[in-house]
Structure formats: C-alpha cells, structure tokens
Amino acid sequence: MDFGAVLSRAWQIIWKHKVMWIFGILASCSGGSNFGSNFRSSYQSDLTPGLQNFFNQIPQWQIWLFVAIIAAVILVLVVLAIFLGTIGHIGLIRGTQEAESGKTLLIFSDLFNGSLPYFWRVFGLNLLWGLAVFVIFTIVILGGIFGTLLTLGLLAVCFIPLICILIPLAWLIGAVIEQANIAIVLENLGIVNGVERGWDVFKKNLGAMIVMALILMVIALLAGFLIGLPLVAIAGPALLAAFSGSHQVAQGALLLAGLCLVGWIPVAIVLNGVLQSYVKTAWTLTYMRLTGKPAEVVSSQIPEVVWALIKTFSFIQ
C-alpha cells in the first residue's frame, strides 16, 4: 500500500471538505450518605462567621437537591459527549466514503442524519472495548499492588514487564477495533460481523496496519505536542510571576495568562478537531484501499470467550 498517497489524500479530503472538521471536533468529545455533615464540617473551619451562619441556615434537603442537580447535569453532559463523539466518528467515516465516491459537496445535516442508523452498533462496540480495557487493567493493577505487598516487592519485577506488554497489545487491539468501526459503517454490518471483518482485514494486512498505526500515532503525538505548546508558554511566565514575591506583578501575570488561555482554548479545540478528522480519514482510506470493496465476512480465530462477550451484548444492534 502507498502510505504517502493515503496520507496525502486524507489531507486533501479534510481540506476540501471542511465540514469534516466539525465531525472531528464532535469525535473529540468521546473520557456518600453523610455528605451533608461532611460538607458542613469541611467549610466551618475556613469560612467567616457570617458565611458559616448562612450555610448553617440551609436545610438539609436543599443541599441534597443541589447535589442531585449537579449529578444530573454531569450525567447529561456525559451522555451528550458520548452521543456527539460517536456521531462524529461515524460522520468522518461516511464523509470519507462519500468524498472517495466522487461527491463534490458534503453537507453536515446529510452526514449527521446518515450517521444515526449506525449509532447503537458503533456505540455498543466501543462500549464493550472500553469495559474490557477497564476490567483488564483494573485486575492487573490491583493484582500487582496486592501481589507486591504480599511478596514484599518481588512481584514488581514481573509486574512492570507485564504492563509494557499490555500497552502495545491494547494499542494493536485498538487498531482492530478501529477497523471494526469502519467495517460496520462502510459495509453496514452488525457488531459481531463488524469485529470479524475488522479482525480479518487487520490479520491479512498486518504489516501495513502496524506501519499506518505507527505513522498516525507519531503524527498525533507531534500535533498534540504543538497544540499544547502554547499552554506551556502561557503558564510558564504566570508561574514565575506568582513566585516573584510581588502581589501586583503576580496578579497581572495571572490575569494575562487567564485571558490568553481563554483565547487559545477555541483555537486548540478547532486544531484538535482537524487532527481527529485527519486521523480518522486516514484510517478509513487505509481500510478502503486494503479491501477494495465490501467483501464477505471471513471466520476468524478470536478466542471463544471474546465472542461470547460480544454476542451477549449483540442486542445493541
């Protein structure tokens, strides 16, 4: 496969169809009982008597209502972020497909509405993948901690190499999941068949997949570093001024840093959206170049326990 041609074509697509940037921004969206008494005791020692009296007059139910409202807002934001992130991911795949088919104008509403039928399948696949990663790493980390304590640190010698193996393994499986997402959208497959198709494409083109994954990882790391570099330039002088000993200098520097940060955040969001759209477009083009056209799903050799987990949740289709 001509990697240069794929990378060049990906840039041409997102530069010509800047609506892809919007879907890239959307894709970036996809990360106790005695509270009242503890809350009261935590602020009473720090607040002035007037504020203490004000908070002491607040009924307990109002505190719980406030907590419930905050929790509901957070839940709504999380659900919205998951929805927009998934739609953004699907929209980038569909946008690349339409651009490659010769469509000269990509319309946001068309891509958005066209992405909805694939939402539950793509969401279900990535939910399963996220849960699997969380469970495995939780078991490994907790097992490593308790094992290290029980063996007086001897298990740590084996624990560190295990982590070094799991990280690249998760990275490679993530590439398979990326191909499965693309297969679901481009070939209108279910979760199970999408994983089969993604695994088959990855397995048959292992060298090309690893090279492309490495290239895109390096591009993403370099671009992310450049996007975050102005934050260092903003925070550095502010921190130096804060330790200068002059209250007025520190106050002015922090105010200036805050204004610069507010001004840079929208720029960083747009740039990160462009980066996301480029990476997803390059992955979709890679899949299209390697497969040529939709093909029959080929039986894979993924372990049966994984298939059992996937099929258990296949109702999400």
Side-chain angles (χ1 to χ4, degrees), residues 97 118 121 181-190 197 201 287 291 293-297:
Q97 181 188 32
Y118 305 95
R121 283 173 280 174
N181 283 318
I182 298 171
I184 289 174
V185 177
L186 295 187
E187 304 185 21
N188 195 24
L189 302 175
R197 180 68 168 145
V201 172
Y287 181 94
T291 58
K293 61 179 180 179
E296 295 295 328
V297 175

Side-chain angles (χ1 to χ4, degrees), residues 218-268:
V218 171
I219 292 175
L221 288 175
L222 290 177
F225 172 77
L226 294 176
I227 293 173
L229 194 59
L231 297 177
V232 178
I234 292 171
L239 291 176
L240 292 176
F243 291 102
S244 65
S246 173
H247 178 71
Q248 292 182 340
V249 173
Q251 191 175 35
L254 291 174
L255 177 61
L256 179 61
L259 293 175
C260 292
L261 180 63
V262 171
W264 178 248
I265 286 177
V267 178

Side-chain angles (χ1 to χ4, degrees), residues 4-157:
V6 171
L7 297 174
S8 175
R9 178 58 180 160
W11 177 254
Q12 292 172 5
I13 289 175
I14 69 169
W15 184 254
K16 179 180 179 181
H17 304 285
K18 295 181 177 59
V19 68
M20 300 280 279
W21 299 6
I22 301 177
F23 284 95
I25 294 173
L26 296 180
S28 302
C29 297
S30 329
S33 62
N34 56 351
F35 171 79
S37 60
N38 291 337
F39 176 74
R40 294 179 187 276
S41 62
S42 65
Y43 67 68
Q44 284 180 351
S45 60
D46 299 325
L47 300 180
T48 62
L51 288 176
Q52 289 182 22
N53 292 332
F54 171 77
F55 283 111
N56 286 332
Q57 293 174 2
I58 299 177
Q60 187 76 18
W61 69 268
Q62 290 186 3
I63 294 179
W64 282 108
L65 178 61
F66 175 76
V67 172
I69 292 173
I70 294 298
V73 170
I74 293 174
L75 179 62
V76 169
L77 291 177
V78 170
V79 172
L80 182 62
I82 292 173
F83 173 75
L84 293 178
T86 304
I87 291 295
H89 192 173
I90 300 170
L92 290 171
I93 297 172
R94 285 184 50 80
T96 305
Q97 181 188 32
E98 293 188 4
E100 280 293 272
S101 67
K103 194 169 184 178
T104 57
L105 179 62
L106 301 182
I107 301 174
F108 176 83
S109 59
D110 292 343
L111 289 177
F112 187 92
N113 293 329
S115 300
L116 294 176
Y118 305 95
F119 173 80
W120 287 111
R121 283 173 280 174
V122 173
F123 168 74
L125 172 60
N126 289 281
L127 175 63
L128 290 173
W129 168 234
L131 289 175
V133 171
F134 174 77
V135 170
I136 292 172
F137 273 89
T138 299
I139 293 174
V140 171
I141 291 174
L142 292 180
I145 292 174
F146 287 112
T148 300
L149 294 176
L150 292 175
T151 60
L152 301 178
L154 295 178
L155 188 62
V157 178

Side-chain angles (χ1 to χ4, degrees), residues 129 133 136-137 140-141 159-175 217:
W129 168 234
V133 171
I136 292 172
F137 273 89
V140 171
I141 291 174
F159 181 67
I160 295 176
L162 178 61
I163 292 294
C164 294
I165 294 174
L166 285 177
I167 291 176
L169 181 61
W171 172 67
L172 289 176
I173 298 177
M217 182 182 68

